[in-house]
Amino acid sequence: MNRRTEPEKLTPPFTQQARSPFFSSGFLILVGGCLALFLYLVFQSESGNSDSSQPAAVEQVTENSQKAKRKELIAYLQQHPDDEFAHFQLGELIQDRAPYQALENFSHVTSRHPRYYEAVEAIAEIALEQGLPERASAALFILVREYPEERRFQKSLAQLLFAQRKYNRALRYARRNIELGGDQAEDYLLVAEILKQAGRTIEMTGPLKQALYLEPDLYAAHLNLAYAGLYSGDLETATREARWCLAKKPESTTALRYLALINRNQGNIEKSLAVINQALQIDSEDIECLLLKADLLIYQRKGAEAYALLKPLYATQQTDRRYVSALSRAAGLSGKREEALELQQLNQRLIKNEDLRPSSLQSESVQKTQAGRK
Amino acid sequence: MTGFRSSRNTIPVWLTVLFSLFGPLFFSMNGDLFAEEKQSAIAFQDVTDAAQITFQHRSPVTVQRHLHLMMGSGVGWIDFDRDGFPDLYCAQGEEWSNVERKQSQPVDIALSNRLYWNRRNSQFQDVTVASGLTVLNYSMGIAVGDYNHDGFDDLYVSAFGRNLLYCNQGDGTFSEVSSFAHVDDPGYGASCTWADLNGDGLLDLYVVNYLEIDRDHYPICSRRVDAARVYFICHPRYVPGQYDVVYLNLGNGSFLDVSQKAGLHNEPARQGLGVFAADYDQDGDMDLYVANDSVANQLWINNGQGVFTDQALVSGLAFNRTGDREAGMGLAGADYNGDSELDLLVTNYFGETNTLYRNEGALFFLDVTDETGLAAPSRARLGFGTSFLDVNNDGWEDLFVTNGHVHDRLSQLGKAEPYEQEPQLFLNLAGTRFDDVSEQSGEFFKTKQVGRGCAVADFNQDGLADLAVSHLNERLILLENRSAPIHKSIALQLVGTVSNRSAIGAVLEVTGGSRKMTRLRKGSSSYLSADEAWVTCGLGDSNAPVAVKVRWPGGKTENWTGLQPGGRYTLIEGTSVLPEQPPTQP
């Protein structure tokens, strides 16, 4: 361990001092009086700071006592490594300064122990703080089972699973969080964002409207609602929300892109191009905007232009299947059939890699049954 | 008298002045309003009961949600008696438990595929038993074509299990010749089509197979939700695909399975559902586009000898614009934008779009779904059957899509995707965009159902294209097109002599006035379904005599001129002199 041992920090024991005239009793009384007066003045003048200085002292005392306790517990655990309560206590003591060690200690607390769920909660907390999603989710799953009515566990688990791209499970807990009383706009926004990433865009509208009811100026909700409207064909809502976003943030390339998409869906290809060019003036490297512009050019049979726009991005975008597909279409349209084929083959390889990820409808069990049985 | 006369004389004077000032405006407004009203007057009426069609599809779901029970069955138009009026063939499903029981039980006609004879008075008669078409299996795809050149259309039915070929005897009956003809593939057949694949003038068969399912070891999928096990049909990506089959017509009533030789096994088997045969590279032979479920679609390009290579990747037809494979259910093909090239529409899964591929020529296609307005309306639907048909005879092919999910208990899995869904009708706006006119097109389009197949025919010969739509576990619906007949159409039947007799694969270039329209004599299309053999082509504003140029399979072209709008004509290969036939359309 990298901690200093207690003796290193202790003051040396009493030492013998030589006597001097300054240590006469009168002198000592005088000094004592001055010191008392000085302390009084300091106390009076810094009465505002007294709150902080006193706890600091208390803290120091506590720290010292915790150090002692830690030392004691460590020593004790060396003799009794199976004492779950000692592990729990030590975990609590060192959680802030040695989280990984604390994690280890809390892990020794088994489900038979009365402090087990406190240990699990601590594990979840530490794992979340330290970026250990697997350990955090394992702990949170235990907690949501034990405390199904405890909203914070549901929400944390939802956020965690969302970050892990486990959308269906994330959605379950995000919705449960709301059922249990989560009534912040962000609770609904979380549901909407999970639905978006899960490809269930059509279902986003409800939670987004609820989020906006709770917080009418929530920008992210407006932007997502524009997307949801665009996706589901409600172009009126999509247009209104995209314009609202642009009024708030005129430089938003995402809102501009949505406007361009709306125009494309309405068949206004030229107008769509104009809007996407406006977005590209703000950020010429916005890949989403570049892809949309290429798409529009391809539709207009301007294959060479689209190809020229996309080709320079190959080095950075070659694993993005949307990019690869767009470049392939541009190549094919401009007569580069060999390259178009190679790009489609690359796309196929990328798909194969993606297939290693579980599908949303993948069964947990596939059985083989006999014929004729219901 | 005088006063009356004078007043009668004066009114026209001021009326004349008024009319001369505002008359043109008034008439132009009226004209516009009238035109607009007419434009939107698309109307389809459910006439199933009136037509005495009582077909009820039966495919009851099991607790364990066996996959094939969710896929439904097709519908096909076949003029089996050659009276010019298309008859209706409906494919039936089957209970899972019947697999073991049916052998010992008497046949219940309600559980069989059905043939409805068109009695020409907008009524149909069930002639299933008399025609010998009683069958108990889980029927899927339907292909109609005259494989033996006897002048009568025959019937091929793919199935979850052994496929069946019915030879039309010409006397109103069919005989089942599957074994004799060696076309009884036992796989999981989906869409199938007749097409001359080796250019010998005989119709060959292409059968799309879906999944490799062993009935004795059926894949069952489930998930645990809230302490309960929820079963749902397995995702096709987790069940192996099955190779499609090519049967070559030997001309003696039998066929030869040449799938391997044809190159189909040069790639891994895929989960196929839809097929559309056409000469995509315009080199005079028939190619095939296959819609695969959740894996890349295939474009089998024919080398002229019946050997195929998949060129879907390079042609842009394997994936959608973002490089994603989609769920590929049904297929429709038409020249939607009037550039004489065959464009393709693929129906896909909920959350995906139905994808429209614009043919750029030189075997290159572009996904133009978003720009044509088809993306957003299809995202919240799971499309199956689809057909291009010109509902208002304006010369632009409109689009019908029937929808319905494959999962009936998604709510238990926390998903808000409806099982029953409304069908959709999109009006083609002069080849630029499609306008969703479903809400204004009749009650049928407001009814949620589990749609599967659909097929087009002008069953009552009124010059307007009608529709038959099959549903999973529900009634088949016959929709009569009762749109205001602003424009006329022309109905054309092609008869091949050198090329296949059904002329499947022939391309028609129909010129009426200044408009030139390209139509295709299709094989099977949509999802598991077959349109009628007659090609009904709307003529738009033109009332001028019509010229038709036919490019027969093989590449030979012939011209017919002087055809009258509203007429019905049979064009026989090699006889470019117009047969004496009076127009019959009202």
Side-chain angles (χ1 to χ4, degrees), chain B residues 116-129:
Chain B
Y116 288 94
W117 172 48
N118 187 337
R119 297 175 62 187
R120 310 183 195 185
N121 57 355
S122 291
Q123 291 193 339
F124 289 74
Q125 183 179 334
D126 186 342
V127 293
T128 311
V129 176

Side-chain angles (χ1 to χ4, degrees), chain B residues 436-456:
Chain B
D436 188 347
V437 293
S438 313
E439 293 238 335
Q440 305 98 60
S441 299
E443 282 302 309
F444 173 76
F445 292 93
K446 296 173 188 167
T447 312
K448 291 185 177 186
Q449 303 187 58
V450 186
R452 290 298 182 255
C454 64
V456 179

Side-chain angles (χ1 to χ4, degrees), chain A residues 200 295 301 321 355 360 369, chain B residues 223 323-325 360 414:
Chain A
R200 294 166 61 177
D295 238 16
R301 300 192 170 101
R321 293 202 292 105
D355 276 351
S360 64
T369 60
Chain B
R223 182 181 293 169
D324 285 321
R325 63 260 152 100
E360 297 295 303

